[in-house]
Amino acid sequence: MNPLKFPPLRAPLKFYAVVPDAAWVERMVKAGADTVQLRNKTLSGEALREEIRHCVAAVAGSETQLFINDYWREAIAEGAYGVHLGQEDMDSADLAAIAAAGLRLGLSTHSVDELDRALSVHPSYVASGAIFPTTTKVLKSDPQGIERLREYVRQAGETPVVAIGGIDLDNAAEVLATGAASLAVVRAVTEAEHPEAVVKAFQALWG
């Protein structure tokens, strides 16, 4: 029996913006994004703690669910809502400490085997990707595509699946039709001329 128990999500993840700093987090909260993730690869030490602190303050009193990418210790210390980890982080992160602190946990997956491994610790959600080619990070595997995503959704069962990687308004409806619970985007927001309008356009897909 797995002793880990992560809290359920407070609300459906739906539109999920992955952004690089606290200013973007605040912007997404004001735009009404359902979920936002801080993915910052440049800060460390007290500067990182301060950035996470600002993110936590930005979502306070809002409906937006905040996840911190990678930095689980700092997320716990600053009282964040949740943490998002990659497969490699499952070997080094103290999942028991994350669970004990009451944080939600999201895990990245890129294959059937990785999804099995992620589901074994009963995370709050799993992310599957990259669905389409993307330039935001170096891909460790070929794009998964729609059919494989549909299989992952079936495999995940009741665990919500976040689709990520190359998703934009042109392909979003097709991705949602697989049964994925959430669409995560990076460039579709951060490179948009009117990011707030993009948030609303994505959210309209859920009706």
Side-chain angles (χ1 to χ4, degrees):
M1 181 177 175
N2 194 307
L4 296 176
K5 183 172 179 60
F6 296 95
L9 299 166
R10 186 176 65 216
L13 296 170
K14 294 185 179 179
F15 177 73
Y16 192 142
V18 181
V19 296
D21 56 41
W24 267 107
V25 168
E26 185 171 1
R27 191 171 181 180
M28 289 294 96
V29 171
K30 288 179 178 177
D34 304 284
T35 307
V36 65
Q37 179 187 135
L38 173 69
R39 182 196 281 172
N40 186 294
K41 303 295 185 181
T42 58
L43 296 177
S44 61
E46 183 53 33
L48 174 64
R49 288 278 297 267
E50 184 67 18
E51 194 78 0
I52 293 174
R53 203 171 297 141
H54 285 162
C55 292
V56 171
V59 300
S62 77
E63 297 299 318
T64 303
Q65 300 177 93
L66 169 70
F67 288 85
I68 306 300
N69 182 268
D70 289 350
Y71 301 110
W72 58 271
R73 293 182 184 87
E74 292 83 357
I76 290 173
E78 299 304 330
Y81 173 81
V83 176
H84 182 91
L85 300 177
Q87 283 284 311
E88 62 281 358
D89 300 310
M90 289 180 67
D91 296 321
S92 57
D94 189 340
L95 299 183
I98 296 170
L103 273 66
R104 282 79 178 167
L105 176 68
L107 293 172
S108 291
T109 68
H110 311 88
S111 67
V112 167
D113 289 345
E114 289 189 359
L115 184 52
D116 266 341
R117 184 177 184 230
L119 292 171
S120 73
V121 301
H122 309 292
S124 306
Y125 74 84
V126 292
S128 294
I131 306 306
F132 305 112
T134 177
T135 60
T136 59
K137 63 191 302 186
V138 177
L139 297 183
K140 298 178 181 177
S141 59
D142 292 334
Q144 304 296 298
I146 292 294
E147 288 308 313
R148 200 168 294 175
L149 175 60
R150 191 173 281 114
E151 293 172 11
Y152 294 158
V153 170
R154 282 198 295 266
Q155 184 180 346
E158 295 183 3
T159 303
V161 174
V162 177
I164 189 169
I167 295 171
D168 56 32
L169 285 167
D170 291 331
N171 57 37
E174 181 184 18
V175 177
L176 267 187
T178 65
S182 171
L183 302 178
V185 305
V186 184
R187 288 179 301 135
V189 159
T190 60
E191 296 182 9
E193 186 175 354
H194 301 292
E196 290 77 9
V198 170
V199 172
K200 297 307 179 190
F202 269 101
Q203 288 177 321
L205 294 167
W206 280 271

